[in-house]
Amino acid sequence: MVFRLKRVLLLTVAASVMARDARAQPCAPAKTALVLSGGGAKGFAHIGVLEIMDSLGLKPDLVVGTSIGSIIGGLYASGYSGLQIDSLLRTLPIEKMIRTYEPKVSSALGTIRPLAVWEKGQLGYVLQSGAVREAEVNAFMSALMLRGNLMARGNFDSLPIPFRAVATDVATRAPVVMGTGDLARAVRASAAIPVVLRPVQIDSLWLVDGGIAENAPVQVARQLGAQRSWISLLPFAGPDPKTFDNPFTITAVLLNSLFEQDTIMTQRRDVLITNATMSFENLNFSRKTTDSLIEVGKVAARAAFAAATCLKSLSSAPRNVPLPTMVKQVGFSGVRIVDGDLVLDELGVSAGEKLNIARLDSGITSISHHERYRALWLQPSGSGPNVTFHVQLDPAPQTSFGVGFAFDQFMSGRLWAGGIDRALLDGDAEGVAMARLGTYEQDLDVFVRRRALVRKTYVPFTVEAQLKHELVRLFKGDGELPSAETQDFVGFIGLKQDPSAGVWQGEIGVEGRFWSEPLANTRGTVGLRAAVYRAQSDYEMGSMAELLALADFQRAKVDASKKWLLAGDFDITGRIRGGWGNRLPIQETFALGGDDGFAGFRIGELRGSQEAFGSLLIRKRVNALLHARVEFMSGEVADGYGALHRVPGTTSGELFGGIRAGLEAATPVGPIRVEEGVANTGQRAILIRVGRWF
């Protein structure tokens, strides 16, 4: 008993002496690395960690990141504070880049939605993933890392804080540590999640997400000389068997299994920040979720740094690295000269001129919508005030095609197939073809477009031909008359741009056409065709105005809509339509309400040479799948030349009102709508539609 008491006393004294000595030891500065692990959207917790570091005045000597950790780390190493990174990412459409299955052939086909798309690769046609669009993601990364890329100019040690991005070699699964080259491409390679994002080729290596080799790259930091590490971890939760019936859940579980989990051996001077991210999904980039993750990071960082005994790094502040101001030289590779000249002009970079960073930034985003390129990497180099750009352009697949369909209980089923070939005339032109087949309408549209140089500006010179056969449905009272059979051949020569979300585009040129309609001889005419349009999204035309000024007939049309997002999962869309025509063939007359028709009436039942229409659609989100919708509308159509004249005993010039209400479900084939409409006349009609009508 006495022996035990003596032993306890000796151990107590020894512990007291060791603690006193530890307190007496000075806190010596040491080379400190900030290590940011991978974890998809969970990486927003890193921003919270950075904000706490900024508030404590803590600055590392080195930043090492994997996947989302390399994105956040690359920005931080470029001189952005945690708060600035948060503000920067709030302005960018990250959530829209990782989408449900939404394949796309080309904007040249308009706003039509495909069910499936095939692209021609090196070994033949492959099914497009549809989850992300490579050009968008790569342009997003180039724009996001632009400031750091210009500072580094090929050497990541030249950043305000030296930086390393960690990726994985596809062939060997070994980690690849990148400290030179294009900063945006290095970060994009580090974050190339398998299946979701395409691997990135750098030199002879094909690289994917660094999390496969080393998700928390502590060993990389130590190999680079770090004596202390501040390690921000994003733990994964174990799979829940209750969710395995959901194919998306099991896919996420299988993806997570590819990554190295954060099992690391810390050293005494390390600070381990374990963020409570187990309950968060890797690909949920909603604003609500990312805000919560930032708070999670703040909580974890406060606790971890408060418990640390020594936090002195070698440098207390990042270096001040000025941005270049002059373009010394410019070159490009990967595409033909005509493409390179067009790209450099849009980027606004020219040898011997001042560097316009704002123009360069907007040019990167603009080029991502060209669809001819999969990626653009600036690859800057130089020193002092000068920068040289070695622009690398990765071409997109030259050929792709898709198919789709829609169904409407009034108009029956409708199928389409279309594609694009960007390699015509040795790549100087592109050809587009689309066939649409339905019970009441069939057409084939083909055009060839070449970028012609006019006074140092490339313009989309287009030659187009269209064949169309339509049965125009006619109604009388509750019954239906025999349809009017019509045929058209349309030719067009002029300039034609593709619809683009949020950007006004247009077309102008000479149109010639021959057509036949009931009780009339085949007729032909020629004249001017002009239009301007702005898409609301890839699958919705927002606003447009169109003019046909032909010798035999004239037609003008305006269709504009605007959506407002409100609190409480509500959104409101206002829409107006107006049309005027003179001597119109029956197939060119206006159906009240367009493809959606009018509440209470059959689609196409109200038709005339003039149209005035307005509607207000209110939608309320019920759950992730369903929206409840109510649409109020009013409008009229009339025949004859001039204003909307009222003709007694007919519907011409009569003002109608109506309301349509029902449910809308989001599906991979597009929205499915089930609604009932009633007009002020008491007429009722049910609308059942699958997909977006075309």
Side-chain angles (χ1 to χ4, degrees):
M1 182 68 178
V2 174
F3 175 77
R4 288 182 179 177
L5 289 173
K6 288 181 177 179
R7 186 178 179 185
V8 170
L9 182 61
L10 288 172
L11 289 173
T12 303
V13 171
S16 177
V17 171
M18 291 175 65
R20 184 186 65 222
D21 291 344
R23 288 193 297 270
Q25 288 178 356
C27 178
K31 183 174 182 179
T32 303
L34 174 63
V35 178
L36 303 176
S37 68
K42 297 179 182 183
F44 274 75
H46 293 324
I47 298 177
V49 172
L50 296 180
E51 290 186 17
I52 295 300
M53 288 172 54
D54 292 339
S55 69
L56 297 173
L58 299 175
K59 293 295 179 184
D61 304 299
L62 171 69
V63 179
V64 183
T66 289
S67 195
I68 186 68
S70 72
I71 297 174
I72 303 297
L75 292 170
Y76 183 65
S78 300
Y80 291 101
S81 68
L83 191 60
Q84 286 173 326
I85 295 172
D86 183 18
S87 299
L88 178 64
L89 294 180
R90 283 178 187 271
T91 64
L92 299 170
I94 300 176
E95 184 181 1
K96 296 180 180 179
M97 293 193 179
I98 306 293
R99 42 169 72 84
T100 55
Y101 185 65
E102 293 184 8
K104 183 179 180 181
V105 180
S106 170
S107 296
L109 297 182
T111 55
I112 197 164
R113 176 167 184 156
L115 179 62
V117 173
W118 289 265
E119 297 176 331
K120 189 174 183 180
Q122 295 183 359
L123 298 178
Y125 284 94
V126 296
L127 188 66
Q128 188 185 89
S129 71
V132 297
R133 293 182 185 147
E134 286 290 327
E136 286 183 5
V137 173
N138 294 333
F140 165 78
M141 203 63 71
S142 285
L144 189 64
M145 295 293 162
L146 180 58
R147 174 170 145 176
N149 218 359
L150 293 173
M151 288 179 174
R153 278 173 273 183
N155 182 1
F156 303 170
D157 284 336
S158 299
L159 290 168
I161 305 175
F163 171 70
R164 295 293 184 273
V166 179
T168 300
D169 184 347
V170 171
T172 64
R173 288 180 62 98
V176 176
V177 183
M178 293 169 286
T180 59
D182 186 284
L183 178 64
R185 182 157 61 166
V187 169
R188 166 66 177 81
S190 177
I193 303 172
V195 181
V196 178
L197 292 172
R198 188 172 183 268
V200 174
Q201 184 179 16
I202 297 181
D203 297 326
S204 61
L205 300 179
W206 282 95
L207 305 177
V208 292
D209 198 294
I212 295 175
E214 192 168 356
N215 199 45
V218 179
Q219 291 301 321
V220 171
R222 290 173 182 161
Q223 290 166 7
L224 293 169
Q227 300 163 303
R228 178 190 297 124
S229 295
W230 302 334
I231 309 160
S232 182
L233 299 182
L234 308 171
F236 293 81
D240 181 1
K242 296 178 182 178
T243 65
F244 285 178
D245 289 337
N246 187 331
F248 296 104
T249 300
I250 196 66
T251 300
V253 169
L254 292 173
L255 281 175
N256 285 344
S257 69
L258 296 175
F259 296 92
E260 288 290 322
Q261 301 305 303
D262 299 327
T263 54
I264 59 175
M265 297 296 293
T266 59
Q267 297 178 350
R268 180 173 58 84
R269 293 185 292 185
D270 293 340
V271 175
L272 187 63
I273 307 163
T274 305
N275 299 288
T277 57
M278 288 75 70
S279 62
F280 293 88
E281 298 177 6
N282 282 18
L283 297 179
N284 184 353
F285 288 92
S286 69
R287 190 68 252 176
K288 180 179 178 181
T289 297
T290 55
D291 284 345
S292 299
L293 283 161
I294 291 172
E295 291 304 315
V296 164
K298 289 180 180 180
V299 171
R302 282 194 194 99
F305 286 122
T309 57
C310 184
L311 296 172
K312 286 186 178 180
S313 57
L314 294 179
S315 58
S316 59
R319 296 188 300 265
N320 181 22
V321 180
L323 289 165
T325 57
M326 292 293 298
V327 179
K328 184 177 180 180
Q329 290 182 332
V330 179
F332 60 85
S333 60
V335 295
R336 301 168 64 251
I337 292 176
V338 62
D339 293 285
D341 287 344
L342 179 63
V343 166
L344 297 182
D345 181 65
E346 193 147 358
L347 293 175
V349 293
S350 182
E353 295 187 0
K354 288 186 177 181
L355 175 62
N356 186 332
I357 296 178
R359 168 78 181 276
L360 180 59
D361 189 4
S362 64
I364 290 170
T365 303
S366 176
I367 290 168
S368 70
H369 299 299
H370 283 201
E371 298 184 354
R372 297 181 64 85
Y373 318 111
R374 177 174 270 152
L376 180 152
W377 310 117
L378 295 174
Q379 301 187 123
S381 64
S383 60
N386 297 317
V387 61
T388 294
F389 293 106
H390 312 269
V391 179
Q392 170 68 43
L393 289 160
D394 297 340
Q398 296 299 292
T399 306
S400 60
F401 70 93
V403 295
F405 80 97
F407 171 82
D408 186 295
Q409 96 277 17
F410 287 121
M411 305 301 291
S412 189
R414 192 154 162 81
L415 303 172
W416 71 267
I420 183 169
D421 184 349
R422 301 184 178 93
L424 296 183
L425 302 178
D426 295 327
D428 197 29
E430 59 186 16
V432 178
M434 182 166 65
R436 293 178 288 193
L437 306 173
T439 303
Y440 298 100
E441 185 178 347
Q442 308 87 41
D443 62 76
L444 173 65
D445 191 9
V446 178
F447 69 82
V448 175
R449 179 166 52 197
R450 180 180 182 274
R451 290 159 298 148
L453 182 61
V454 179
R455 293 185 179 181
K456 297 183 179 181
T457 300
Y458 289 96
V459 295
F461 181 75
T462 305
V463 177
E464 181 178 17
Q466 183 181 49
L467 291 171
K468 183 177 180 180
H469 174 264
E470 182 177 4
L471 298 175
V472 181
R473 299 180 72 180
L474 304 174
F475 303 91
K476 185 176 182 180
D478 294 332
E480 182 171 356
L481 303 174
S483 299
E485 184 173 5
T486 66
Q487 299 183 54
D488 287 79
F489 171 77
V490 180
F492 171 82
I493 299 176
L495 308 180
K496 180 177 181 178
Q497 295 175 308
D498 298 336
S500 180
V503 178
W504 284 102
Q505 304 280 48
E507 61 182 55
I508 186 168
V510 176
E511 177 176 299
R513 65 168 62 196
F514 294 92
W515 74 97
S516 64
E517 55 183 322
L519 306 177
N521 296 324
T522 299
R523 297 155 65 186
T525 189
V526 66
L528 173 72
R529 182 173 105 192
V532 292
Y533 32 79
R534 182 175 66 178
Q536 181 171 294
S537 69
D538 287 338
Y539 308 129
E540 295 177 278
M541 181 63 75
S543 300
M544 61 90 65
E546 179 184 78
L547 171 66
L548 277 177
L550 306 180
D552 201 77
F553 69 88
Q554 299 79 46
R555 185 178 190 267
K557 172 185 174 183
V558 175
D559 192 336
S561 64
K562 174 70 174 178
K563 178 182 286 189
W564 295 272
L565 300 177
L566 305 179
D569 292 328
F570 280 93
D571 64 71
I572 296 178
T573 301
R575 184 185 182 202
I576 58 171
R577 283 171 54 92
W580 171 88
N582 175 40
R583 301 176 61 195
L584 294 181
I586 190 170
Q587 64 270 33
E588 293 292 338
T589 56
F590 301 100
L592 186 61
D595 289 338
D596 272 2
F598 195 90
F601 292 91
R602 294 161 288 189
I603 293 176
E605 183 172 352
L606 302 173
R607 182 182 290 274
S609 297
Q610 291 91 42
E611 177 194 14
F613 173 86
S615 70
L616 187 69
L617 169 65
I618 303 172
R619 299 196 315 161
K620 170 69 168 68
R621 180 184 292 274
V622 178
N623 54 40
L625 177 66
L626 290 176
H627 276 87
R629 50 184 289 151
V630 178
E631 186 173 13
F632 304 91
M633 56 188 73
S634 177
E636 58 183 308
V637 290
D639 289 313
Y641 179 83
L644 291 159
H645 293 295
R646 179 75 177 96
V647 179
T650 72
T651 60
S652 180
E654 181 178 353
L655 181 63
F656 293 96
I659 181 173
R660 184 186 283 158
L663 293 174
E664 176 183 324
T667 74
V669 300
I672 296 178
R673 293 165 53 189
V674 180
E675 303 171 73
E676 182 171 13
V678 58
N680 61 331
T681 58
Q683 290 177 263
R684 292 177 175 269
I686 293 177
L687 172 67
I688 301 175
R689 176 168 290 174
V690 178
R692 297 189 186 280
W693 198 251
F694 54 88

